[in-house]
Amino acid sequence: MTLPQLDPVSLVDLQGPVRERLGRVEVEMRRMIEENFPLISEVNHHLLRMRGKMFRPTLALLADEATGGTGATAERFAAILELIHLATLVHDDSVDHSALRRGMPTINAVFSHQVSVIMGDFLYSRAVVELVRMGSLDALRVLARVTNEMTVGEMRQLLAHDPLTFTEEQYDLLIRAKTASLISGACEVGGLGAPAAEREALARFGEKLGMAFQIVDDLLDYTADARVTGKPTGLDLREHKVTLPLIHALPRFSAAERGQIDALMANPEPSEAQIAAVVQAVEEHGGLDYARDRASRIMAQADEELERLPPSPAREVLRASLGYVLERRR
Amino acid sequence: MTLPQLDPVSLVDLQGPVRERLGRVEVEMRRMIEENFPLISEVNHHLLRMRGKMFRPTLALLADEATGGTGATAERFAAILELIHLATLVHDDSVDHSALRRGMPTINAVFSHQVSVIMGDFLYSRAVVELVRMGSLDALRVLARVTNEMTVGEMRQLLAHDPLTFTEEQYDLLIRAKTASLISGACEVGGLGAPAAEREALARFGEKLGMAFQIVDDLLDYTADARVTGKPTGLDLREHKVTLPLIHALPRFSAAERGQIDALMANPEPSEAQIAAVVQAVEEHGGLDYARDRASRIMAQADEELERLPPSPAREVLRASLGYVLERRR
C-alpha cells in the first residue's frame, strides 16, 4: 500500500492562494442572507460570527482554479455551499441539543429550538433561491442530491447508538452521507466548468477527503486534548455515538470490557471513569490504529484522483488539503 | 363593494373534475419520497396516512386545466407542492410542539423532535431534487421563493404573541408569507405554461385565496365547534397567538377587558374561563364581523383575478374553491 507523503498543513496555508476570493465569498454570503426582519438579522449576525473555517468554500475555489477558473461564478457557488453547511449545522445542533459549536453558543442555545429549525430552513431555502438565480441546473442537481443525502445521513446517525449492530459498512454509509457528500459537492461544483472526467475526479477526490476528514474527527474524539479541540475527549461515547474505533475494537473486547460498554450505553449520563475505561479498551484492541490506517488509505485514494487533473499550483494545494486532515489528527 | 355570490362547496366537489389525476399525484408522491432506509419508510408511511386534503395539488391541477393542460407535468408539480407542504407541516409541528394534526399524532409525537427536523429537511430536499429532475427553472424559481417566504412567515409567527404591538399590517405580512405564498405558488406553477398575464393572474388569485383561507382559519378558532374542526375553540389564544379578530377588537376593549387579555397572555396555561372571556370581548367589539368582512373582500378580489383567464369549466371550479373557503367558515 502506498501512502501519500503528506506534510502537516494549516488551513491558513491552504487558504493563502484564495484569500482574496474568500473575502468576496463572505461579502456574497452577507448579501444572500440579508433580510429586512429584525430577528433574522440578529441570528444572521450570530451565524456570521461563528461562521467557522470556510473549508468547503476553500475547496470549491481551489477546484475552480485547478480547472481553469471561472471567477465570480465559483465565488457565488462557494458562498452557497457555506450557506448550506451553516443550515445543516444549525439543524444538527438543534437535533443534538448542542449548546456550543466552535466555542460559541449555538442558535438553539442563544435563541431557541424554534428559531433553529426555522433559521435552518431559511438558510437552505435562501441557498436554493440563489442557485436558481444563477440559472445552473448542474449545480442545483449536485447540491440538491447532496443535501438530500445529508438528511439520510442524519437519519442514520440517529440509529448509530447500538454498538452491537452498527457495522463498519453502516458507518461508511453514515460518514459518506453526513460529511463526505457536501465536501464532494464543494469540489464538484468548483469544477463544474471542467470536462466530465476532471469534474468526476474532483467529486471522487472530495468524497475520499470528506470520509477521511470524518474518520479523523471521530478519532480525535478518542485521542485529542480538550484544550486543543475545544471539545472534551469522549464526547461521542458520552452521547452514545458509535464510531469506527469502537466498531473495530468491539469484537475483540473481553467479557469484562463488553460489560463496561454495555453499562456505558445504558447510562444516560456516563461517568468520566466509564468513558475512560472504554477509551482504553478501544485503544488496547487496536481501534485507534485501525481507524488511522483506514483514514490513510482513503487519503491515498483521494491523492490518486488528483492525477486526473492537469498539473497546476491549485491542484497541489488541493493535495495539501489532505495534509490539513492529517494535521487535525495530531 | 361587490361580494361574489358563493355557494358553499365541499373539497370533494372541487376535486371531482381532477379526481383521477389526484390519484396519479399520490403515486408520484410515493415514488418521490421512497427511500431504502427503514426509519424513513416508517415515517413516510405515517405521513402518507395523514397526508390530508390535497388542497394545493387540487389547485395546481385546476390551474393547469384552466390554462390548457400539460398532463403529467402538472401532476408531478402537484406532487412536489404537497411534499413541500408536508415538509412545512412537519417542521411547524416540531416548532409548536404539537401532538396532533388532523386528529392524527404528529411526527414529533410518534417519533421524536429529532426525526421531525430531519424528515422535514428530507422532504424539502427531495422536492428540490424532483424539481431539478424536471429541469424547470421557472418552477424552481417560484417554489424556492415561496419556501423562503414561508420561513420568514414562521419567524413572524414567533413574534405574533404581543397583542399590544402586533398590527393588522404585520398580520397581513404573516399570513401572506405563512399560508398565501404556497397556495399562490400552487396556482402559479399549475399555470406555468400559460401566457404571463394568465400566470400572474393565477398567482394573485392564489395569494388572495390563501389570505382568505388563513383569515377564515383564524376566525374558526374563535367560532368553531370542536366536534366539527377537531381542534378546541380558542387554541390560538391558549397558545398566545394574536390573530385578526383580536387585533381589530383590542383598541375597543374596556379597561377591564384589557386586564383580561393581559392576564391571559401572562398565563402560560390560560384557563377555559380566561379564554371564554376574551372570545366574548372580541365578538362584542366586532372582531369576528370585521375578520369575516375582510375575508369576503379579499375573496371578491380573488374572484376578479379569474376574469383574466379564458372561460372554462376548470376556471369555474377554481371560482368554486372560494366557496370552499366560505364553507369552512360555517
Side-chain angles (χ1 to χ4, degrees):
Chain A
M1 186 176 62
T2 332
L3 291 184
Q5 292 306 309
L6 294 171
D7 292 322
V9 59
S10 72
L11 192 55
V12 174
D13 294 336
L14 286 187
Q15 292 178 332
V18 292
R19 169 98 28 232
E20 204 176 306
R21 299 184 78 191
L22 282 171
R24 291 198 291 273
V25 171
E26 288 193 39
V27 172
E28 281 290 313
M29 282 178 67
R30 280 173 208 280
R31 177 188 64 73
M32 287 175 184
I33 62 180
E34 202 176 71
E35 178 70 36
N36 185 20
F37 189 70
L39 182 53
I40 295 182
S41 310
E42 238 180 285
V43 182
N44 279 341
H45 185 71
H46 187 83
L47 278 172
L48 288 170
R49 276 174 57 214
M50 67 183 268
R51 167 185 47 75
K53 297 173 284 186
M54 303 281 274
F55 184 46
R56 290 152 194 81
T58 301
L59 291 172
L61 295 178
L62 290 171
D64 176 54
E65 299 198 354
T67 54
T70 60
T73 301
E75 287 156 21
R76 289 175 69 187
F77 283 144
I80 291 166
L81 279 158
E82 191 70 5
L83 283 198
I84 293 174
H85 179 54
L86 278 178
T88 62
L89 294 186
V90 170
H91 276 186
D92 288 1
D93 287 341
S94 174
V95 163
D96 293 344
H97 301 289
S98 306
L100 284 177
R101 156 90 55 191
R102 296 173 189 145
M104 273 187 68
T106 56
I107 302 298
N108 41 305
V110 178
F111 299 89
S112 67
H113 157 60
Q114 285 130 308
V115 169
S116 298
V117 174
I118 301 169
M119 272 308 291
D121 291 346
F122 172 83
L123 292 169
Y124 180 57
S125 55
R126 194 50 69 90
V128 178
V129 166
E130 289 293 333
L131 280 168
V132 173
R133 189 170 290 167
M134 292 182 72
S136 168
L137 273 170
D138 278 345
L140 273 160
R141 188 169 296 114
V142 172
L143 294 177
R145 175 178 49 72
V146 156
T147 317
N148 193 248
E149 278 171 15
M150 282 193 285
T151 66
V152 179
E154 280 291 303
M155 218 47 128
R156 290 186 184 279
Q157 181 83 74
L158 287 185
L159 302 182
H161 292 85
D162 183 351
L164 291 180
T165 63
F166 199 59
T167 65
E168 182 163 349
E169 192 188 346
Q170 287 173 314
Y171 173 80
D172 281 359
L173 288 169
L174 166 61
I175 67 173
R176 190 172 280 131
K178 188 180 78 162
T179 309
S181 59
L182 186 57
I183 292 182
S184 170
C187 295
E188 183 171 2
V189 165
L192 216 54
E198 293 178 22
R199 174 183 160 169
E200 287 159 17
L202 279 165
R204 287 190 302 269
F205 165 79
E207 181 172 275
K208 304 293 181 191
L209 178 68
M211 287 185 73
F213 186 92
Q214 187 60 51
I215 292 173
V216 170
D217 210 59
D218 293 340
L219 250 171
L220 274 173
D221 199 66
Y222 277 85
T223 62
D225 186 329
R227 284 164 301 180
V228 177
T229 59
K231 295 200 294 188
T233 309
L235 193 62
D236 288 342
L237 281 174
R238 197 180 311 263
E239 295 174 350
H240 300 159
K241 284 184 189 161
V242 178
T243 61
L244 188 55
L246 178 59
I247 292 170
H248 180 79
L250 190 72
R252 293 155 184 86
F253 272 24
S254 68
E257 287 162 342
R258 189 61 153 264
Q260 285 172 327
I261 180 73
D262 288 347
L264 185 153
M265 287 289 168
N267 185 350
E269 294 191 16
S271 68
E272 294 297 325
Q274 277 186 308
I275 293 170
V278 171
V279 167
Q280 197 187 334
V282 166
E283 180 161 17
E284 282 174 9
H285 292 292
L288 306 188
D289 288 338
Y290 180 79
R292 268 188 210 104
D293 185 55
R294 265 219 73 194
S296 293
R297 278 182 287 149
I298 294 172
M299 284 196 277
Q301 293 166 354
D303 193 69
E304 279 170 28
E305 293 294 346
L306 292 178
E307 294 307 312
R308 296 169 201 271
L309 302 185
S312 73
R315 185 184 75 167
E316 297 318 305
V317 185
L318 281 175
R319 198 187 306 279
S321 72
L322 295 166
Y324 165 63
V325 169
L326 187 79
E327 157 74 8
R328 292 177 73 240
R329 190 172 75 184
R330 292 190 175 164
Chain B
M1 185 178 60
T2 332
L3 290 184
Q5 293 305 310
L6 295 171
D7 292 322
V9 58
S10 73
L11 191 56
V12 174
D13 294 336
L14 286 188
Q15 293 178 331
V18 292
R19 169 100 26 232
E20 204 176 307
R21 300 185 77 191
L22 281 172
R24 291 198 290 272
V25 171
E26 287 192 38
V27 172
E28 282 289 315
M29 281 179 67
R30 278 173 209 280
R31 177 187 64 72
M32 288 175 185
I33 64 179
E34 201 175 72
E35 177 71 36
N36 185 21
F37 190 70
L39 182 53
I40 294 181
S41 311
E42 238 180 284
V43 182
N44 279 341
H45 184 72
H46 187 84
L47 278 172
L48 288 170
R49 277 174 57 214
M50 68 182 267
R51 168 183 47 76
K53 297 173 284 186
M54 303 280 274
F55 184 46
R56 289 152 195 80
T58 302
L59 290 172
L61 294 177
L62 291 171
D64 176 54
E65 299 198 355
T67 54
T70 60
T73 301
E75 287 155 23
R76 289 175 70 186
F77 283 143
I80 291 166
L81 281 158
E82 192 69 5
L83 284 199
I84 294 174
H85 180 54
L86 278 178
T88 63
L89 293 186
V90 170
H91 277 185
D92 288 2
D93 287 340
S94 174
V95 164
D96 293 344
H97 301 289
S98 306
L100 285 177
R101 155 93 51 193
R102 296 172 191 145
M104 272 186 70
T106 56
I107 302 299
N108 42 305
V110 177
F111 299 88
S112 67
H113 157 59
Q114 285 130 309
V115 169
S116 298
V117 174
I118 301 169
M119 272 308 291
D121 291 347
F122 173 83
L123 293 169
Y124 180 57
S125 54
R126 195 49 68 90
V128 178
V129 166
E130 290 294 332
L131 281 168
V132 172
R133 190 170 289 168
M134 294 183 71
S136 168
L137 273 171
D138 278 345
L140 272 160
R141 189 169 295 114
V142 172
L143 294 178
R145 174 178 48 72
V146 156
T147 316
N148 193 248
E149 278 171 15
M150 282 193 285
T151 66
V152 179
E154 279 292 303
M155 218 46 128
R156 289 186 185 280
Q157 181 83 72
L158 287 185
L159 302 182
H161 293 85
D162 182 352
L164 291 180
T165 63
F166 198 58
T167 65
E168 183 163 349
E169 191 188 348
Q170 288 173 313
Y171 173 81
D172 282 359
L173 288 170
L174 166 62
I175 66 173
R176 190 172 280 132
K178 187 181 78 162
T179 309
S181 60
L182 186 56
I183 292 181
S184 169
C187 295
E188 182 171 2
V189 164
L192 217 52
E198 293 178 24
R199 173 185 161 165
E200 286 159 17
L202 279 164
R204 286 190 302 267
F205 165 78
E207 181 171 277
K208 304 292 181 192
L209 178 68
M211 287 185 74
F213 186 92
Q214 187 60 52
I215 292 173
V216 170
D217 209 59
D218 292 341
L219 249 170
L220 274 172
D221 199 67
Y222 277 85
T223 61
D225 186 328
R227 285 163 301 181
V228 177
T229 59
K231 296 200 294 186
T233 310
L235 192 62
D236 287 343
L237 281 175
R238 196 178 313 260
E239 296 175 348
H240 300 160
K241 284 183 188 161
V242 178
T243 61
L244 188 56
L246 177 59
I247 292 170
H248 179 79
L250 190 73
R252 295 158 184 83
F253 272 23
S254 67
E257 288 162 341
R258 189 61 153 262
Q260 285 172 326
I261 181 73
D262 288 347
L264 184 153
M265 288 288 167
N267 186 350
E269 295 191 16
S271 69
E272 294 297 325
Q274 277 185 308
I275 293 170
V278 171
V279 167
Q280 196 187 334
V282 166
E283 179 160 20
E284 283 174 10
H285 292 293
L288 307 187
D289 288 338
Y290 179 78
R292 267 188 210 105
D293 185 54
R294 265 218 73 193
S296 293
R297 277 182 287 147
I298 293 172
M299 284 196 276
Q301 293 166 354
D303 193 69
E304 279 170 29
E305 293 294 345
L306 292 178
E307 294 308 312
R308 296 169 202 269
L309 301 184
S312 73
R315 183 184 77 168
E316 297 319 305
V317 186
L318 281 175
R319 199 186 306 279
S321 71
L322 296 166
Y324 165 62
V325 171
L326 187 80
E327 157 73 8
R328 294 176 74 240
R329 189 173 75 185
R330 291 189 175 164

